[in-house]
Amino acid sequence: MKKNLICSVFFLTSFLLSSQEKTSYQIPKKELLELIDVELAPTVIKDSKNENMVLLYRDAYKSISDLSQEELRIAGLRVNPSKYIGSRTTYYKNVKVLKLSNSKEPNQLQGLPLNPKLSNFKISPDESKIALTNTTDEGVELWIADLKTLSAKKIYGSNINSTLGNPITWLKNNNELLIKTIPNSRKPLIDRNSIVPTGPTITENEGQKAQNRTYQDLIKNPDDAFNFTQLSLSNIIKITLEGKQKNFLNSKMYRSVSVSPDGSLVMVSFIKTPFSYLVPYYRFPTEYRVYKNSGDLVKVIQDSPLMEELPKGRMSTTNEPRNIGWRKDVGASLYFFKALDKGDPENKVEYRDALYQWDYPFNNNPKLILKVNNRLSNIIWGNKDIAIANDTWWNNRNVKTYLFNPSKPSKKALVIEGGGSRGVFSLGVTDTFINSSYNPFHIHLGVSNGAVVQLWYLLSITNNNLDKMLFSASKEFVRYSNFLVNKSIMDFKRLYKEAHKVYPIDFDRLQDKLKNKIFNVVVTDANTGEAEYIELTQENYINEMMATAALPILMKDSICLNGKRKFDGGITDPIPVKKAYEMGARDILIIRTYEQEFIRKVKLENYIAALATKSYPKISQALKKNAATYNSALEFINNPPSDCKIIQICPPKRLKTKRATIDHETLKNDYEIGLSEGSKYIKNLT
């Protein structure tokens, strides 16, 4: 037993000594090494002129030395804290240049350092040079490669800060760059493994409901926050190709630096406190500023708050402007995306996102360029007339591509046909819009009673405007027998004056609702017989509204505006859809008072009206060809231009209401039909 025990101990001791013997990494056999260590195809950088193709070569695998480098995981970053560069950075070991015009084999770039670790390649605006970094034991250096002479040289030492992305930005003159450098005021990082905690880490929760995915490598305590600050802080210096340098912007946690296409402006973004223990650095508070290339501040563009709480859903986003950048085909104009659903995918809206443009000196409001159905993902700028936008929606895997003209921002128009009392249907439709808080329109055009419907829709004082139509449907104001006495079926002047007392117009509210919008009513000039499109004025709106509805026979005479006689706009432009298109609308919604299949035939009443207006020859002629005018608008609706979308909301069948119906039950029934069709439209949007 004792002998066996001694033998066992001896064997175990021998095994332990053998297992602790130091060994080196082994290289596989030649056959296997040739199989796995094949030279990779180079990464290619090609200029827009097809003159040079830059070939970047790298190893298939990282070296043991690279893999053993220290890595600090913090705020969603993985950083080499001694080099101020990402620990997972892909390094290239060689650069060659292929002259596409006269060479079949690439030429070696001369002057590169021994055993380089190259990254952060940035081609110059004139595409004659490439700026790049080389990582050494001391830090990150700045190098310049000349594609004409095929030579490289170092122009800045080992002090570049590449923690938050590419630290290099070319200026327009091709002779200067902006680079992010480590400030002299940097403090040593805190080693969490060598210190004793002085207290617990405390976080607060205010009890708000919010969704958040689980992120890796977050800030966990104040020491992490301190380390992140020290790693992220940088100065921005301006440096020439000869190595002359001067300070451009003082120390901040700079994320991005970009130069306007004309070279006059520089936009920077930088991270601000408070930091978060829940989300990565790119959701920390971020401020965007624009400077002149001299370093003078022009404008604080955006101050985005911390994004810890977002609505539920994969397609949720911030309600703040996002993806701020320079429009590449314009000298100095910014663009950005903005959610129209407040960033909440649960909100039911027709358009999810919008593209805005903001022109230097950024004193005016940004202007809307494009609305899209899904979340905007990117923009490809072509020239002043052509750009491409892409959007996406993960829930249904839908992706759309839009070809649009950025110089002619898309506008959405609402056109409402007239029709006297048949406008009760239109009131039903617009009341559903009011109830749904739906008003995406930039242009509002109304004819005759359609103008009245537009007015109450814009005011949005109530979502039940039927009472106004019922008020007007009275024998006090509408009586066919009056035509035999005074050549007028309706007493418009009395109607509008009485209506003004009962339903006064709040013009302050109207002007507020019309900010960045256009509201025109259509009238016809008595002398020229041409349609005119006028804005309502507070001083004369009653006459202006009467003028758009001054149809011969219904009214005894025309209405005088600014010394000129005006008739009903429906005589010359009964459905002003072409006008909406001329005003820039490419998305047009029309509320009709006839069924979709309706085609106007020549009517006897038009010839009677023509006889009644023989003192106005142009009006008489316009009345005779009114059917052709109406059907021409229908032809445009049914065959719109390729860049225009037109949708109609029509009664499903002929309304029982006629032009001068006063039966309240009939009006109520057709109003209900309008409510139903409006609800269908709103439902289809979602």
Side-chain angles (χ1 to χ4, degrees), residues 195-440:
I195 63 171
V196 178
T198 59
T201 299
I202 299 174
T203 60
E204 294 182 8
N205 190 322
E206 297 179 353
Q208 297 179 346
K209 292 183 179 180
Q211 124 177 317
N212 245 334
R213 58 170 287 185
T214 301
Y215 294 97
Q216 294 181 312
D217 312 327
L218 299 179
I219 291 175
K220 300 179 179 62
N221 48 60
D223 294 337
D224 283 350
F226 175 85
N227 286 345
F228 173 75
T229 301
Q230 299 308 310
L231 288 168
S232 302
L233 283 172
S234 59
N235 296 328
I236 298 179
I237 68 169
K238 184 183 293 185
I239 187 169
T240 69
L241 297 183
E242 292 74 37
K244 297 179 180 179
Q245 55 187 276
K246 63 178 181 180
N247 190 57
F248 185 75
L249 293 175
N250 291 327
S251 178
K252 293 185 183 297
M253 290 179 282
Y254 294 108
R255 283 186 59 184
S256 65
V257 182
S258 60
V259 179
S260 63
D262 65 2
S264 64
L265 303 173
V266 178
M267 183 176 68
V268 303
S269 67
F270 56 88
I271 295 170
K272 300 167 59 176
T273 57
F275 300 150
S276 172
Y277 294 179
L278 300 177
V279 294
Y281 76 96
Y282 50 82
R283 289 175 61 173
F284 291 176
T286 302
E287 187 170 311
Y288 295 80
R289 293 183 179 182
V290 171
Y291 295 86
K292 293 181 178 179
N293 58 18
S294 60
D296 297 325
L297 178 65
V298 175
K299 186 86 171 179
V300 176
I301 297 297
Q302 173 66 18
D303 194 357
S304 299
L306 173 67
M307 289 192 293
E308 272 192 344
E309 300 171 357
L310 289 177
K312 184 180 179 181
R314 192 180 185 102
M315 298 308 299
S316 65
T317 188
T318 176
N319 197 35
E320 303 290 328
R322 67 184 200 278
N323 293 71
I324 304 172
W326 295 108
R327 183 172 160 177
K328 292 181 172 50
D329 59 327
V330 179
S333 292
L334 292 169
Y335 75 91
F336 60 84
F337 304 160
K338 183 75 165 63
L340 300 178
D341 58 2
K342 299 182 179 180
D344 190 348
E346 294 298 317
N347 289 335
K348 297 179 180 179
V349 295
E350 184 174 7
Y351 299 99
R352 293 283 179 187
D353 262 7
L355 171 67
Y356 287 87
Q357 178 177 321
W358 203 1
D359 300 321
Y360 175 81
F362 316 111
N363 293 327
N364 298 323
N365 291 328
K367 60 184 179 183
L368 176 68
I369 295 180
L370 179 70
K371 290 182 177 180
V372 299
N373 301 114
N374 300 324
R375 277 285 176 261
L376 277 166
S377 54
N378 72 295
I379 300 290
I380 302 172
W381 298 105
N383 54 41
K384 64 182 182 66
D385 299 320
I386 295 177
I388 297 173
N390 293 294
D391 72 12
T392 183
W393 197 251
W394 186 88
N395 300 32
N396 55 12
R397 308 303 194 272
N398 184 257
V399 177
K400 291 186 174 71
T401 299
Y402 305 81
L403 180 67
F404 67 100
N405 186 337
S407 299
K408 296 180 179 179
S410 64
K411 295 178 180 177
K412 189 176 179 70
L414 176 64
V415 175
I416 303 182
E417 182 182 11
S421 297
R422 288 194 299 272
V424 72
F425 170 82
S426 306
L427 279 174
V429 175
T430 55
D431 277 355
T432 63
F433 290 1
I434 296 171
N435 187 54
S436 303
S437 300
Y438 177 71
N439 190 344

Side-chain angles (χ1 to χ4, degrees), residues 181-192:
T181 63
I182 303 169
N184 294 328
S185 60
R186 64 177 173 178
K187 299 176 182 177
L189 302 183
I190 298 173
D191 184 359
R192 291 286 299 168

Side-chain angles (χ1 to χ4, degrees), residues 95 189 231 478 480 483 485 587 609:
V95 180
L189 302 183
L231 288 168
V478 183
Y480 281 92
F483 181 73
V485 180
D587 190 351

Side-chain angles (χ1 to χ4, degrees), residues 458-477:
L458 281 163
L459 287 167
S460 297
I461 296 172
T462 176
N463 63 351
N464 185 10
N465 286 294
L466 175 63
D467 55 345
K468 300 173 181 63
M469 182 64 74
L470 298 179
F471 175 85
S472 65
S474 167
K475 291 182 179 180
E476 294 183 51
F477 311 122

